[in-house]
Amino acid sequence: MRMPHDAPVMTAALTAEVLRAEHVCAEHIRIACRAPGFPASEPGQFAQLDCRGRRAQSDHTAIWPNDGFPSPTDDDLIARVPYLRRPFSIADHMLDRDGAARLTFISRNVGGGTDWLDHVKTGDTLNITGPLGRGFRIPEPDTPLILVGGGVGIPPLLYLARRLAECGHDRATVIFGVMSQRLLPLTLTDAPSTDGSARPCIELPGNRAYPTIITSDDGTIGLSGRVTDALALLRATPSANDHPHVLACGPDAMLKAVAHQTRAWSWPCQLCIERQMGCGFGTCLSCIVRAVDQTSPQGWRWRLACTDGPVFDRDELLDYAQPPAP
């Protein structure tokens, strides 16, 4: 098993040129950019994007008082100026012929920073810091895998699909869940099955046509239900006897449900967790998570999603060890 967790991580801060920006569904934009000098990365790692734009950065002056810290002005609050960078999973990473990195990010418009991203266009520039955090450990090529992504947890698994294809993984199945078809940030190559059977139906980086199940909460596309319903269907197939390795990313409630399910079946599982990250470097301590630690009197200790994660083994995380609330 490849162990990127233990490898040294190189991080760069640089300016990237937007090559393409396209709205892929009602609330998501997919941004492809060219970023010379961006270091090697692993699926599951993320980057911090400055979403203020050049005008907001150049026009704003912060006054630093002698007895405290600068604060947002009333005008800043009204204008919803996004002071902090926004963390985005890397949705794809490949190299141009000249060795320059091509990165893809997928953003859902939910606030001031993502609204600015929603309006970028070809030729614009993005200020990017990354890669950050720890990525997925890639199991050996003969290991059966199930990739489970929900909502904004889908992008890192797209990049993972490329890496699996590059590593020669043939035994991978994909489950992607959304609330509704209008929020599906993917390009379809065929209609997803409505009975939960896995078949190639989406465009994946690396051009590997992995069998895929799409679920939707409202039944407007694919299987009506949630990703855990699709997992239960896969458990009934003969391949489940090989104890597939599950790699998941999505909302907290989804990850807790997947953690409970896979633990009950004795399936290995890695979770890429979502947290608010103010800095991405482990200094602001805004992305704390409780991790199991038997040497501690309380049986756990604080860890940081941005540096210790965002990918963890399921059983490392205390708050994912209990059954989800009904």
Side-chain angles (χ1 to χ4, degrees), residues 26-65:
E27 297 180 8
H28 293 78
I29 186 171
R30 180 166 56 211
I31 301 170
C33 57
R34 189 173 188 271
F38 193 86
S41 68
E42 296 289 344
Q45 289 186 293
F46 65 97
Q48 295 278 80
L49 273 59
D50 189 333
C51 298
R52 291 177 295 171
R54 282 171 290 187
R55 178 177 179 182
Q57 294 178 52
S58 60
D59 289 356
H60 182 77
T61 300
I63 304 301
W64 199 291

Side-chain angles (χ1 to χ4, degrees), residues 6-296:
D6 301 326
V9 176
M10 293 184 61
T11 301
L14 49 81
T15 298
E17 178 189 2
V18 175
L19 301 175
R20 187 174 63 257
E22 54 184 340
H23 288 89
V24 289
C25 66
E27 297 180 8
H28 293 78
I29 186 171
R30 180 166 56 211
I31 301 170
C33 57
R34 189 173 188 271
F38 193 86
S41 68
E42 296 289 344
Q45 289 186 293
F46 65 97
Q48 295 278 80
L49 273 59
D50 189 333
C51 298
R52 291 177 295 171
R54 282 171 290 187
R55 178 177 179 182
Q57 294 178 52
S58 60
D59 289 356
H60 182 77
T61 300
I63 304 301
W64 199 291
N66 293 329
D67 58 348
F69 299 95
S71 298
T73 66
D74 290 343
D75 289 341
D76 292 335
L77 297 176
I78 293 172
R80 301 168 72 195
V81 174
Y83 278 87
L84 299 178
R85 291 172 179 263
R86 302 301 196 258
F88 288 91
S89 296
I90 300 171
D92 197 15
H93 183 178
M94 56 184 295
L95 297 179
D96 280 341
R97 292 181 178 178
D98 62 359
R102 282 204 179 197
L103 304 174
T104 299
F105 300 100
I106 297 177
S107 169
R108 183 181 180 189
N109 190 346
V110 295
T114 50
D115 183 66
W116 179 81
L117 275 180
D118 204 54
H119 292 84
V120 301
K121 58 186 183 300
T122 301
D124 286 346
T125 57
L126 296 175
N127 189 275
I128 298 173
T129 301
L132 299 164
R134 301 192 310 172
F136 287 103
R137 297 191 319 280
I138 309 298
E140 297 299 330
D142 60 346
T143 306
L145 305 177
I146 302 176
L147 281 58
V148 182
V152 292
I154 290 174
L157 300 180
L158 298 176
Y159 180 19
L160 180 59
R162 173 183 293 281
R163 183 56 55 84
L164 295 178
E166 293 171 348
C167 294
H169 270 278
D170 293 320
R171 303 181 65 189
T173 302
V174 177
I175 300 173
F176 285 154
V178 292
M179 290 189 291
S180 177
Q181 181 175 5
R182 63 183 296 273
L183 296 176
L184 182 70
L186 302 167
T187 300
L188 294 176
T189 59
D190 198 358
S193 68
T194 58
D195 63 0
S197 56
R199 65 187 186 206
C201 62
I202 61 172
E203 187 178 284
L204 292 169
N207 297 319
R208 183 64 62 91
Y210 289 125
T212 300
I213 303 173
I214 301 293
T215 71
S216 59
D217 293 353
D218 63 0
T220 52
I221 189 169
L223 176 69
S224 179
R226 300 183 175 180
V227 296
T228 47
D229 298 318
L231 270 176
L233 291 175
L234 288 180
R235 188 181 179 236
T237 63
S239 61
N241 296 326
D242 294 333
H243 291 269
H245 195 128
V246 175
L247 305 106
C249 184
D252 225 38
M254 186 206 91
L255 292 183
K256 288 179 179 178
V258 169
H260 177 61
Q261 216 172 21
T262 55
R263 183 179 294 104
W265 302 338
S266 299
W267 289 3
C269 180
Q270 296 178 50
L271 303 174
C272 184
I273 66 174
E274 298 178 357
R275 288 292 185 276
Q276 294 290 339
M277 298 179 186
C279 70
F281 289 98
T283 59
C284 70
L285 307 181
S286 64
C287 61
I288 54 176
V289 60
R290 296 196 300 174
V292 175
D293 184 356
Q294 300 301 335
T295 65
S296 173

